Amino acid sequence: MIDSRWNKEKLQEFLRTNLVEEVMKTVIHEDKEDFAIWMPSNNGIFTSKSAWRKLRKKKGITLTANMIWHPKVPFKVTFFMSRMISRKLPTDDAIQKFNINGPSRCTCYTRGHTEVSEYLFRKGDIEDEVWKYFSGICGISTQGKDTRGTLISWYHKTKNKVHSFFLQCLPSIICWEIWKCRCSMRYEGSKINIRSIISQVVFLSRILIKAQFPSLDLDKEWLVASEQIEDLKSRIVIQTLQWQKPEAFCFKLNTDRCSKENPGSSGGGGILRNDKGELLVAFAAYFGNCSNIEAKAKAIQIGL
């Protein structure tokens, strides 16, 4: 730089012509201090979150990992499922990997078998009966499939929104109840009862469906209710929306906004009309990194 101005000849020694032109456009303010711009964030300000996203190696999202998460499913069930899929539950076969050996017997296998995750949740005698009961009701074939294959087969046969939600939640509830029974038998000496597992799965399924669809009235008989869920048809509701003109000598401002990932890259815009409905001003703006609510407030502020 020469006298607080860019030295174009010096820049050309190190940069391409198009980059030199871009650098020359940058205005230098002597009365302001220089500051670093953090490129991974939209507003140029360093945050731990943006640094973590930049440094970590993000794994691809699988179908099973994506489908086990739902706002209405209790977090403890979802967290349990994520541990099960990644084979991080404290089953005997997992503990033996740390050279901790001891007597092992799968509580769900009537003929006696070392506790292995695959037998515990899918191929055990008791588990197989539970899966057969619900797969028979829902018309899903799970024969010969492992745990992951069984989960995937449930996620692909949906007929409506309620049915989709039901099939998304049911496998997680089944695995959760199997794990609860396993722990009760091992640590409390309780006996595993297939009927109690099935009834508890049905009970929790009804609670989740009611929480997600409060207006849905299902039959008390489970077989009939499952048929109701499968046969539901989407109801198309057509509603006419009409923009109302403001009162005489008044103006009306309509705004909208969006925020990617909330918070994230955000923007908004608006339209100002008079009492005749004539367009006076229209605008759109980029707000950088902010939440959906902040973007809404900024759009209204610009409009005002």
Side-chain angles (χ1 to χ4, degrees):
M1 298 180 67
I2 302 175
D3 297 330
S4 299
R5 294 183 179 181
W6 293 108
N7 187 339
K8 188 174 182 178
E9 294 179 357
K10 199 69 175 178
L11 289 173
Q12 289 174 340
E13 295 179 12
F14 301 97
L15 302 175
R16 298 193 301 269
T17 303
N18 60 328
L19 294 179
V20 172
E21 296 299 328
E22 289 297 322
V23 172
M24 295 293 292
K25 293 178 183 178
T26 304
V27 180
I28 301 172
H29 300 280
E30 293 183 354
D31 56 333
K32 295 184 179 180
E33 295 184 2
D34 292 339
F35 61 93
I37 297 177
W38 179 249
M39 295 302 293
S41 63
N42 294 324
N43 58 4
I45 299 174
F46 173 81
T47 60
S48 299
K49 180 179 179 181
S50 61
W52 170 246
R53 286 185 173 180
K54 184 70 176 177
L55 294 175
R56 73 169 177 167
K57 294 181 179 179
K58 196 172 184 180
K59 294 183 179 180
I61 300 176
T62 62
L63 175 64
T64 50
N66 187 44
M67 295 299 287
I68 62 175
W69 294 95
H70 194 281
K72 295 300 181 182
V73 178
F75 176 76
K76 61 182 179 181
V77 177
T78 303
F79 183 76
F80 157 78
M81 287 297 293
S82 67
R83 302 289 290 181
M84 187 198 76
I85 292 173
S86 58
R87 299 182 183 276
K88 292 182 179 180
L89 290 176
T91 53
D92 291 344
D93 62 328
I95 294 174
Q96 288 172 0
K97 293 179 182 179
F98 296 93
N99 296 323
I100 302 175
N101 299 309
S104 174
R105 183 180 183 278
C106 190
T107 55
C108 56
Y109 218 82
T110 56
R111 296 186 297 274
H113 196 284
T114 302
E115 185 179 72
V116 181
S117 297
E118 194 58 45
Y119 284 95
L120 178 61
F121 293 106
R122 180 63 191 93
K123 295 183 179 179
D125 296 334
I126 296 172
E127 287 70 24
D128 191 47
E129 288 298 320
V130 175
W131 284 107
K132 280 182 179 178
Y133 175 82
F134 287 102
S135 61
I137 291 175
C138 300
I140 297 172
S141 175
T142 58
Q143 187 175 3
K145 295 181 180 179
D146 58 8
T147 306
R148 187 178 290 272
T150 300
L151 295 176
I152 293 174
S153 63
W154 282 73
Y155 298 148
H156 281 296
K157 199 172 181 179
T158 60
K159 296 185 177 181
N160 52 64
K161 285 187 177 181
V162 181
H163 193 236
S164 176
F165 173 77
F166 173 60
L167 294 188
Q168 180 181 350
C169 299
L170 190 57
S172 297
I173 299 172
I174 292 174
C175 292
W176 172 249
E177 290 301 323
I178 290 172
W179 178 252
K180 283 172 58 181
C181 286
R182 175 263 186 193
C183 294
S184 296
M185 184 175 182
R186 171 162 291 201
Y187 303 117
E188 298 176 7
S190 304
K191 291 184 178 180
I192 292 183
N193 189 321
I194 296 177
R195 288 182 177 273
S196 65
I197 296 176
I198 292 174
S199 62
Q200 192 64 20
V201 171
V202 171
F203 175 72
L204 289 178
S205 298
R206 284 185 176 275
I207 292 177
L208 293 179
I209 292 173
K210 193 65 178 177
Q212 181 70 4
F213 305 98
S215 60
L216 184 62
D217 187 21
L218 295 177
D219 194 273
K220 293 182 179 180
E221 179 62 37
W222 176 244
L223 295 178
V224 178
S226 60
E227 291 180 358
Q228 278 183 303
I229 293 172
E230 191 171 344
D231 295 336
L232 286 172
K233 303 295 182 182
S234 298
R235 186 177 64 178
I236 300 176
V237 179
I238 300 176
Q239 184 178 3
T240 303
L241 298 177
Q242 186 175 3
W243 183 81
Q244 300 292 333
K245 295 180 181 180
E247 296 179 0
F249 307 107
C250 293
F251 303 93
K252 178 174 281 191
L253 174 67
N254 297 102
T255 62
D256 199 3
R257 82 293 178 201
C258 64
S259 179
K260 187 178 181 181
E261 297 182 359
N262 193 25
S265 182
S266 305
I271 296 176
L272 181 68
R273 295 185 179 95
N274 59 18
D275 57 346
K276 297 180 181 179
E278 297 172 339
L279 175 64
L280 301 179
V281 177
F283 66 92
Y286 176 66
F287 302 142
N289 193 348
C290 65
S291 67
N292 201 27
I293 296 176
E294 289 176 309
K296 181 178 181 178
K298 288 181 179 181
I300 295 174
Q301 183 183 30
I302 293 175
L304 294 175

